[in-house]
């Protein structure tokens, strides 16, 4: 079906948006490049409900303009595009039309997001800083424009939402933009703070995060509970392997068999709760599982018998009032020596925050630890 965009918006060489807005600060503007914007006959013709602004990262290290060109060229054949792409040192490229559905995060998100924004990825820290300031301000100004709260990933169903939030609460398998932000030293908390308050035209925080003094330095809560995780893999074509508790250095310190393929996984914790899922070569990402019971292959096991696991993802939830802990985990594949990078479920380990494994390479070993720090 041909999708016509009935919005009669005018393509201008320079369009402005408000950034760094506070009650007492001046408003500055940034230029939007419309060279790769979809025409009036391209894109979805469906209007959005104005409930969320979605924050993405591209997932590849390439110039923002390349992403804009690609989305412009393949919006229909690839079925994916957003309203804005930020990068190349703070530049903004428009693709889709504001207020009309983009195709960036599934049907619910697309229908409720008048603006979705991609952040192009760079290894250059100076370029990242310019990109980040523009990205944050565009997210913030878009939310204000459409009467949407500037809170990031809150429990409410309105606000600025990461693609990870959409995955965890609605649908999907993306975890951006947190892995990329963490690779440049930006935590989830810092990102939420920055979107809430914005940056001035000079690139400085409008309301900087206060630094703790010696008197008010946070103290780690004393009520930390010992959390033990038990897990096992099913060897493809054979049987369930013996369960492993936490991890160790010997042959009994990991789940799996070296240089072997596995098709099912169960995980359970003695305290708190954990959800997990696997990626298989045949199916991609499968649904999250919240229980761990090898005898319940519907609700207690992640995976499909006979289908090869090549990725794992998990999130641990600390009971209210206790010292915060999370899942740290790592895997090894049949095609390379040594463990891959350690993952942390809150995105605190730069470069390995989304999931453990390597697409297309059968997972042969898995180690997990629940703690307030990594032991790997």
């Amino acid at each position: 079906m041909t999708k016509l965009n009935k919005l009669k918006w005018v393509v201008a060489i320079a369009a402005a948006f408000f950034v760094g807005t506070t009650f007492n600060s001046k408003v500055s503007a940034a230029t939007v490049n419309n060279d790769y914007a979809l025409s009036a006959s391209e894109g979805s013709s469906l209007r959005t409900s104005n409930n969320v602004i979605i924050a993405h990262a591209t997932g590849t290290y390439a110039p923002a303009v390349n992403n804009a060109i690609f989305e412009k060229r393949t919006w229909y054949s690839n079925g994916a595009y957003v309203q804005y792409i930020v990068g190349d040192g703070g530049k903004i490229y428009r693709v889709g039309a504001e207020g009309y559905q983009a195709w960036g995060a599934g049907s619910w998100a697309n229908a409720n997001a008048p603006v979705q924004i991609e952040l192009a990825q760079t290894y250059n820290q100076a370029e990242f800083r310019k990109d980040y300031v523009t990205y944050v301000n565009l997210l913030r100004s878009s939310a204000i424009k459409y009467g949407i709260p500037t809170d990031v990933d809150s429990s409410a169903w309105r606000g600025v939402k990461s693609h990870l939030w959409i995955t965890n609460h609605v649908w999907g398998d993306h975890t951006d933009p947190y892995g990329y932000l963490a690779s440049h030293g930006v935590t989830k908390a810092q990102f939420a703070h920055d979107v809430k308050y914005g940056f001035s035209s000079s690139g400085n925080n409008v309301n900087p995060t206060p630094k703790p003094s010696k008197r008010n330095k946070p103290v780690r809560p004393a009520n930390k509970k010992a959390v033990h995780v038990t897990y096992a893999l099913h060897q493809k074509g054979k049987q369930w392997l013996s369960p492993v508790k936490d991890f160790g250095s010997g042959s009994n310190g990991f789940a799996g068999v070296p240089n072997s393929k596995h098709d099912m996984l169960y995980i359970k914790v003695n305290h708190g709760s954990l959800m997990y899922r696997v990626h298989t070569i045949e199916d991609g990402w499968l649904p999250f599982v919240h229980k761990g019971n090898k005898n319940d292959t519907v609700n207690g096991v992640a995976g499909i018998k006979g289908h090869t696991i090549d990725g794992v993802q998990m999130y641990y939830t600390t009971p209210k009032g206790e010292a915060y802990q999370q899942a740290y985990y790592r895997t090894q594949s049949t095609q390379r020596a040594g463990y891959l990078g350690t993952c942390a479920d809150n995105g605190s380990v730069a470069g390995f925050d989304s999931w453990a494994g390597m697409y297309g390479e059968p997972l042969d070993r898995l180690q997990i630890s629940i703690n307030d720090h990594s032991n790997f």
Side-chain angles (χ1 to χ4, degrees):
M1 180 180 69
T2 303
K3 301 181 183 296
L4 298 179
N5 187 340
K6 298 179 182 178
L7 177 62
K8 303 302 182 182
W9 53 284
V10 178
V11 176
I13 297 299
F17 72 90
F18 294 123
V19 298
T21 307
T22 65
F23 290 111
N24 298 312
S25 65
K26 294 182 179 179
V27 175
S28 60
T31 299
V32 176
N33 184 313
N34 292 289
D35 292 347
Y36 313 102
L38 299 181
S39 70
S41 62
E42 296 175 317
S44 173
S45 62
L46 299 176
R47 295 300 298 260
T48 62
S49 297
N50 301 330
N51 291 311
V52 295
I53 303 297
I54 302 178
H56 298 271
T58 58
T60 59
Y61 286 85
V65 66
N66 289 12
N67 286 276
I69 292 170
F70 179 79
E71 290 192 7
K72 166 69 172 176
R73 185 178 73 249
T74 67
W75 71 272
Y76 187 81
S77 61
N78 197 41
Y81 69 93
V82 296
Q83 279 83 8
Y84 295 108
I85 301 169
V86 174
D88 301 343
K91 297 179 180 178
I92 303 170
Y93 300 91
R94 186 199 303 271
V95 180
E98 284 192 20
Y100 283 74
Q101 293 187 22
W103 299 340
S107 58
W108 182 90
N110 296 340
N112 284 276
V115 175
Q116 298 190 48
I117 305 169
E118 290 273 13
L119 177 60
Q121 299 185 185
T122 177
Y123 292 106
N124 186 292
Q125 185 65 26
E127 183 175 311
F128 167 78
R129 178 62 185 177
K130 295 177 182 178
D131 295 343
Y132 179 68
V133 168
T134 301
Y135 177 63
V136 163
N137 282 338
L138 183 54
L139 288 167
R140 172 179 164 75
S141 64
S142 298
I144 293 172
K145 177 179 179 179
Y146 288 96
I148 297 171
T150 56
D151 301 308
V152 176
D153 288 355
S154 71
S155 59
W157 285 82
R158 299 190 76 242
V160 178
K161 305 298 183 183
S162 67
H163 204 161
L164 174 62
W165 189 96
I166 300 298
T167 293
N168 289 341
H169 293 84
V170 186
W171 172 89
D173 60 5
H174 289 240
T175 60
D176 49 303
Y178 291 118
Y180 173 59
L181 294 180
S183 73
H184 283 281
V186 177
T187 64
K188 288 184 179 180
Q190 183 64 53
F191 178 58
H193 172 274
D194 293 341
V195 173
K196 183 75 172 178
Y197 296 103
F199 292 94
S200 68
S201 58
S202 64
N204 295 321
N205 290 88
V206 172
N207 184 12
T209 305
K211 295 181 179 180
S213 65
K214 292 182 179 179
R215 290 184 179 181
N216 62 10
K217 184 177 181 180
V219 177
R220 180 179 296 175
N223 59 338
K224 176 185 174 183
K225 306 295 184 181
V227 182
H228 298 291
V229 56
T230 302
Y231 52 105
L233 281 164
H234 183 275
Q235 193 171 11
K236 186 175 179 179
K238 296 185 179 181
Q239 65 210 1
W240 280 104
L241 302 170
S242 298
V244 175
K245 184 177 180 180
D246 301 326
F247 73 99
S249 58
S251 60
N252 294 323
F254 58 84
V257 174
N259 302 310
S260 180
K261 298 177 181 179
H262 303 86
D263 53 9
M264 292 186 288
L265 166 71
Y266 78 83
I267 310 173
K268 56 185 178 180
V269 292
N270 71 325
H271 187 72
S273 62
L274 185 140
M275 68 175 185
Y276 59 100
R277 63 178 177 173
V278 298
H279 184 281
T280 69
I281 293 175
E282 296 83 357
D283 312 288
W285 285 107
L286 298 175
F288 277 106
V289 176
H290 298 266
K291 300 178 181 179
N293 181 358
K294 68 179 182 180
N295 297 316
D296 181 359
T297 56
V298 176
N299 299 307
V301 169
I304 297 174
K305 192 171 184 178
H307 292 200
T308 304
I309 296 173
D310 60 357
V312 178
Q313 186 179 47
M314 64 190 75
Y315 296 95
Y316 175 77
T317 300
T318 306
K320 186 176 181 181
E322 295 183 9
Y324 176 73
Q325 299 188 77
Q326 62 176 315
Y328 292 91
Y329 55 107
R330 62 181 184 175
T331 64
Q332 189 165 329
S333 84
T334 59
Q335 298 183 26
R336 60 188 71 210
Y339 281 98
L340 299 168
T342 300
C343 300
D345 68 27
N346 76 342
S348 60
V349 179
F352 297 96
D353 302 321
S354 300
W355 53 279
M358 190 68 65
Y359 287 141
E361 299 184 10
L363 181 153
D364 69 350
R365 274 163 274 198
L366 170 66
Q367 290 186 317
I368 310 172
S369 171
I370 309 295
N371 214 319
D372 60 355
H373 63 280
S374 175
N375 289 309
F376 296 125

